[in-house]
Every structure is written in structure tokens, then in C-alpha cells.
Amino acid sequence: MMDQQFHLESKDINVWFGERHVLKNVSLQFPINQVTALIGPSGCGKSTFIRTLNRMHELIPSAGLAGAVLLNGEDIYGEAIDPVDVREKIGMVFQKPNPFPTMSIKENVLSGLKLSGRKIDNGAELVETSLRRASIWNEVKDRLGEPALSLSGGQQQRLCIARSLAMGPDVLLMDEPCSALDPGSTRRIEETILELKDSMTIVIVTHNMQQAQRVADQTAFFLSEDGDPGHVVEFGATNDIFHGPIDPRTNEYVNGRFG
Amino acid sequence: MSLQSPTIQRVKLRNKPSRTADKVFFGVARAAGYSSIVIVVAILFFLSIRAWPAFEQQGILDFTFGSGWDTTTTPPTLHIGAMLWGSFLIAGIGVAFAIPMAISIAYFIEFLAPKSIAKTATVIIDLLAAIPSVVIGLWGLGVFSPTGAGWAQMINQSLGFIPIFQNESGTFLRSPFIAGIVIAVMIVPIIASITREIFSQMDKEVINGAMALGGTRESILRKVILPTSAGGILGGILLALGRAMGETVAIFFVLNLSYDEVNWLNILEPQGGAIASLILSKFGEATNDEISALLAAGVVLFIFTLIINAVASYIVAKAQPWRKA
């Protein structure tokens, strides 16, 4: 395949909800071991876009899609592809921490394996490495059997990251992972992101300009003007987007003049 | 600790109604609230007074757990054990059929159906709950019984080696099995609408999280949705059980009441019991002793139903502690 140089790539993604065209011709490339930030004002389609990357819109009956998402050159929307397999390779962390309320900390880490019907060999080891990679092991190692909801919000979010990591994904999608967290927890998650990118591709939606500059290698600016579908205005190295944007709208947005 | 020093005086903050309209409203609401308790206690009390002669004559334990209904002996033998067990057996069969059906309906409405179909289905389920039980009974007698007997015969032929599916009488009509299915039709809407409500209150992000982890619809239902909703669904099931225990007419139409012998588990045999149906069938031409006994049967049914409902509300309240966040 020709597109092997990019680990994950979207080609002319269009999304509709019912009659509403919400995303138009989004083509982005996500190289391996890089963090890509998706920024833009509320309602610009960046969350909608990140959810197309692991087929999360399929529970919405009115959703429609055009275009392709290539993972290692293969379209994840292809006829022969099982969305469950896609989601095992492409993990996701959500805006609000969403650990499973009936499960313990340990069970939450192993929940993906159970949900996808995989066998669990050496579960204890997997729990430890996953929690370590999400930088939460030291806080929870003595209370693995306690309910996940006994953790603080920031800890719950890192538990959710650990839960995704236990699946051994190649790509981690993060949809505003810090928007519900305090600055301390936010900093710890950002540190975790920088550690994780050595072993995977990360895409993060964020409203926080400083966060994008701290963690992202490249940044895409989304915009939806006057009810037009959302689209990418500018895409490039984070430094260029923030310090030498080509498009005046990008300049206004990253300098906080709207959005 | 200084908060508890004796120099600080504490006043009650609870607001007492001051305006007249407020006082009247307060009084009416309080009277209505207390009257519900008074009514329940009063019903139980006066029923018990009328029922007491039967309990005294038959002995409480013999009356409740013994079997046999014979007015020709002196004193008459009026025992409701077979009926009491029958009530539980039929309610149990009904619930066993209703649970998977109701949960599937709720899952379909909440997670699978397009909005318009979901709305229609919700309305239809509620309509089903509103069908008078005598109509369901007539349907059970006139329409369903022959079909149900056919199913029973098939079960007996293929699974007859299991004791509960044996049938020595050769007839498959008017059995606890058929009565149980008729009851299931009546309680499916109760369980389905409660389950749907519980499902709709679930945090959708938790379900999305499960999907993002590679969950299938089936594994998400089994490992995330059901455990999270279990307490609420169980409460709904017990509520339905209470309804099933008290059901009278529908069971009377489709069940052969057998007073003398407890049919423990032979669900395909044409003999069974149900306290409410016993009362219905005997009351018309009852002797004085029988009337007292039937009222006593009512007391027993009342108490068991109260227990089930109390357990139900306890479970629902305790069920989801994480909701309190």
C-alpha cells in the first residue's frame, strides 16, 4: 500500500447526522509515536471526528459517513472489518471519567479483555504494567479490590487510561481527557501522554491551548462557520500553528480572540 | 470541637407553615400521608378479626401450610397450603418467562430501536399493562390454552425425563405451566417498563467506554449494563411478583384448582392452586366457617404480598449506592 508511511490516516471524512452535514473533507495524517492535537471552538466537529477514528458513531441510527480511515493502510470501515477488532487496536479515553461502577479497580483494568472475550493470562502482571504506564500504580497498588468509584476524578481518568492500555492498542484517542479535572491531575495526565507516545500514536481533542502546546507534535485547527459543516482550516507542526499560522482565522483562535 | 461548646445555642431550621393556605395544604398532605399507613393497618386488622375464628378452629400453622378443603367433616378441614404453594409456583413460572422477555423488550426500546418505533413500543407496552385481567383470563382460556397445551406436550415429549416435566394424567390443559404463561403476559409490561426506565438512566458514557474497549452488544449487556442495573431490575421483578401473587380471575380461568394435594413441581399436570382464585371460587356458596377461612386466606396472601413489596423497596433503595455520588 502507498500509505504505509502514516500509521493512521483519515481521507476525506464527511459525517452527517440525519440531514445535517457536520464534517466535511477531513484528511489528516497521524504518524507513529507522535501526538496530534485537535483544536477548535465548541461545535466545530473535532469530537465528532475523533469518534470516526474508532467507529464510535455506530450506535447513532441517523449517522452517515463518507471517506476512509486507514490504519496501517487498511480502511477500518472496510466491508470485511469487524468494528470490535478496530476498537481493540484503537483505544479511547473520554471527556468524563467513566470507570465501570460495579467493578473494582483491578476488574476495570481487565474489563476490556473480558468484554472482547479474550483470554486473560497473567492478569496480575497485566494489571500492574497497565496501571504503571498510566502512572497510577503507586496510588492504588494496595487497594486493587476496592470499587473504582472510590478513586478521585483524576485517578478515575488515569484508571480509564490504564483500562485502554491493557488492551495493548496501537492508537490512543483522547476526547478532552482533562476537561473535568483539576490542574494537578491534568499535569499528571499530560506527563503520562508524553511517556506513552514512545509506544503508540496519540490523538487528543483539547480546548486548552497550553495543553496542545505542551503535549502535541502536530495540531489541526477545526472550524465550523455560519452553520457550514466543520472542516480543517489548518494542519501542521504545533509550533507553526501557534507561532506562525498561515490562516488569519487560526491566528485569531490560538491567540484567544474567539471560540 | 468549639462548635459543640455549650455557649453556642442551636435553633431548629425547619420551616413551619405560616400562611393559612400553606397550613391547609400542609395539613391535607400530612393527613393523606398518614392515612395510607392507617388504611393498610386497618384493613389487616379488620380482616384478621373476621379471619380469627378460622385460625382458631384450624390452627394457624395447619391452616396455612396444611392441605385439604372439606366441609363434610366436623369441624371442616379448611387448609390452604396447596393454594399458597400454588401461588408461589405460578408466580415463579410467570416471572421466569417474563424476565428474559421483558429485559429484551427494554433493551430493544432503549438501545436498538429507532426513535419512532421506540416511542410506539413504549406506548404499546403500557397499553398491555392496562388490559383488564379478566380479558387476559378469557384470552388465556379461549385462545391460548390449546396452544399452551401443545407446547406443554412437546416439552413433555422431549424433556419428560426431568421430573418437573412429567405428566401422568395425560391432559396438558389447566396446568400451572399454562397459568404461569398467562401471568407472564400480565407482568411483562411491569418489568419491561421498570427495566427500560433503569436502562435510560444509565450513564451513556459508561456504555460508550465499554464499546471503545471492544465490547460487543452482547458482552456490554451482560458485563456492564445488567450488573449496573441489577438492583433496579430486581425491584421491578419483585413488584411484578407481588402482582402475580395477587392475581385472581385470569388464573381462575385457566387453572384446575386442586385443594387436597400440593402439586410441588409437576408444572405440566392439570392441578395447581392460587389463593386469590380459591377465594373467588369458594366465596359464592361458602358456609360461615368457609367465609372465615377465606378471609384468613386473604390475610395470609396480604401478609406475603406485603413482605414481597417490602423486600422490593428495600432492594431498590439499597441497590445502587454509587448513584448517590
Side-chain angles (χ1 to χ4, degrees):
Chain A
M1 299 288 268
M2 288 177 58
D3 300 296
Q4 288 290 2
Q5 67 265 43
F6 298 116
H7 191 209
L8 181 69
E9 181 177 12
S10 78
K11 285 196 152 175
D12 292 322
I13 286 289
N14 285 263
V15 175
W16 294 264
F17 292 129
E19 293 298 304
R20 209 157 47 90
H21 192 181
V22 292
L23 213 51
K24 191 174 178 186
N25 297 337
V26 179
S27 297
L28 298 174
Q29 298 81 37
F30 308 98
I32 194 162
N33 298 346
Q34 291 213 4
V35 178
T36 305
L38 311 179
I39 62 170
S42 298
C44 67
K46 54 196 187 308
S47 285
T48 301
F49 173 72
I50 200 172
R51 283 163 183 246
T52 62
L53 298 179
N54 66 341
R55 301 184 62 161
M56 286 295 288
H57 289 304
E58 285 175 21
L59 286 188
I60 302 168
S62 65
L65 179 114
V69 175
L70 306 179
L71 177 66
N72 295 324
E74 189 175 24
D75 187 2
I76 64 167
Y77 287 92
E79 286 280 323
I81 304 286
D82 181 351
V84 170
D85 296 336
V86 169
R87 296 185 195 117
E88 287 178 26
K89 283 182 213 142
I90 306 180
M92 185 157 195
V93 176
F94 295 79
Q95 197 165 345
K96 213 184 94 200
N98 57 355
F100 299 123
T102 51
M103 297 183 194
S104 68
I105 293 168
K106 183 179 153 193
E107 286 166 340
N108 259 282
V109 177
L110 298 174
S111 59
L113 297 158
K114 285 194 192 136
L115 280 163
S116 60
R118 281 206 240 160
K119 266 196 192 152
I120 303 172
D121 321 314
N122 53 34
E125 197 186 319
L126 183 63
V127 168
E128 180 173 345
T129 47
S130 304
L131 288 168
R132 272 189 196 285
R133 289 176 75 197
S135 340
I136 189 181
W137 171 251
N138 287 329
E139 290 156 68
V140 300
K141 63 182 175 197
D142 300 321
R143 48 193 285 210
L144 294 173
E146 286 181 29
L149 292 191
S150 66
L151 299 172
S152 74
Q155 290 172 326
Q156 286 182 22
Q157 191 64 303
R158 277 180 282 141
L159 174 61
C160 290
I161 294 174
R163 183 174 76 175
S164 293
L165 296 177
M167 299 294 287
D170 301 330
V171 179
L172 190 60
L173 308 175
M174 308 178 101
D175 187 1
E176 295 185 48
C178 302
S179 65
L181 305 182
D182 63 274
S185 303
T186 300
R187 188 178 49 80
R188 302 204 54 182
I189 291 197
E190 288 176 8
E191 287 165 6
T192 306
I193 291 171
L194 293 174
E195 283 164 24
L196 288 176
K197 80 168 186 178
D198 290 340
S199 54
M200 60 184 69
T201 306
I202 294 175
V203 184
I204 177 171
V205 170
T206 179
H207 272 291
N208 182 329
M209 300 298 142
Q210 287 76 34
Q211 180 167 70
Q213 293 181 65
R214 283 192 297 261
V215 301
D217 301 290
Q218 51 173 14
T219 297
F221 171 53
F222 281 68
L223 193 59
S224 156
E225 290 161 305
D226 306 326
D228 284 349
H231 60 281
V232 174
V233 171
E234 199 164 346
F235 175 47
T238 300
N239 203 36
D240 294 343
I241 295 285
F242 281 92
H243 299 112
I246 299 164
D247 196 292
R249 293 170 295 179
T250 314
N251 191 32
E252 287 190 12
Y253 183 75
V254 298
N255 288 302
R257 275 180 227 129
F258 74 97
Chain B
M1 300 308 109
S2 62
L3 276 178
Q4 295 185 349
S5 90
T7 54
I8 296 174
Q9 216 179 6
R10 177 174 157 164
V11 288
K12 272 201 169 171
L13 284 175
R14 183 166 169 173
N15 188 15
K16 287 228 165 130
S18 52
R19 300 187 183 197
T20 315
D22 220 15
K23 276 181 184 158
V24 170
F25 178 74
F26 190 84
V28 169
R30 185 161 62 177
Y34 284 129
S35 67
S36 63
I37 302 171
V38 171
I39 288 171
V40 169
V41 173
I43 291 177
L44 193 56
F45 179 73
F46 288 108
L47 262 185
S48 302
I49 287 180
R50 295 289 311 276
W52 187 247
F55 282 132
E56 216 171 22
Q57 184 187 51
Q58 308 287 331
I60 289 183
L61 287 180
D62 277 347
F63 174 78
T64 311
F65 301 110
S67 292
W69 195 276
D70 190 352
T71 46
T72 58
T73 59
T74 26
T77 313
L78 304 171
H79 297 163
I80 61 163
M83 296 295 118
L84 180 63
W85 173 250
S87 281
F88 277 106
L89 181 64
I90 290 170
I93 295 169
V95 164
F97 277 106
I99 290 172
M101 182 85 183
I103 289 178
S104 306
I105 290 173
Y107 182 83
F108 171 75
I109 291 178
E110 204 48 44
F111 297 110
L112 296 181
K115 263 196 189 124
S116 57
I117 293 179
K119 268 187 190 163
T120 318
T122 307
V123 171
I124 289 175
I125 295 295
D126 290 343
L127 274 180
L128 191 56
I131 297 176
S133 59
V134 66
V135 175
I136 302 239
L138 283 172
W139 166 81
L141 176 67
V143 181
F144 175 69
S145 279
T147 313
W151 296 353
Q153 202 163 4
M154 278 195 286
I155 293 173
N156 172 255
Q157 277 162 8
S158 49
L159 298 170
F161 58 90
I162 302 170
I164 64 168
F165 297 127
Q166 280 164 5
N167 181 308
E168 282 167 10
S169 65
T171 167
F172 292 91
L173 286 162
R174 303 181 73 79
S175 63
F177 173 76
I178 287 176
I181 293 180
V182 170
I183 285 296
V185 172
M186 303 178 66
I187 62 178
V188 156
I190 300 175
I191 304 177
S193 76
I194 289 175
T195 305
R196 189 190 59 78
E197 188 64 33
I198 304 275
F199 282 175
S200 76
Q201 285 169 12
M202 257 203 87
D203 188 347
K204 293 289 181 295
E205 285 297 294
V206 169
I207 296 169
N208 280 337
M211 196 168 97
L213 284 166
T216 60
R217 283 189 192 276
E218 179 270 335
S219 72
I220 294 173
L221 175 67
R222 207 155 40 83
K223 300 201 165 115
V224 176
I225 298 176
L226 283 184
T228 313
S229 330
I233 297 175
L234 196 57
I237 290 168
L238 288 176
L239 218 60
L241 200 62
R243 165 101 200 258
M245 293 281 297
E247 181 41 48
T248 311
V249 182
I251 292 181
F252 182 66
F253 277 137
V254 296
L255 182 69
N256 192 31
L257 295 174
S258 107
Y259 308 104
D260 300 329
E261 196 186 330
V262 182
N263 175 3
W264 288 108
L265 284 171
N266 291 319
I267 60 175
L268 302 184
E269 293 284 2
Q271 53 164 321
I275 289 186
S277 302
L278 160 81
I279 297 172
L280 179 69
S281 69
K282 292 288 184 191
F283 215 92
E285 49 216 40
T287 65
N288 279 338
D289 283 336
E290 273 183 297
I291 286 180
S292 177
L294 292 174
L295 287 164
V299 171
V300 170
L301 180 62
F302 192 22
I303 289 172
F304 274 102
T305 317
L306 272 186
I307 292 172
I308 289 174
N309 274 316
V311 173
S313 48
Y314 177 81
I315 289 176
V316 173
K318 281 273 168 185
Q320 284 135 327
W322 59 85
R323 282 254 173 90
K324 284 178 193 150

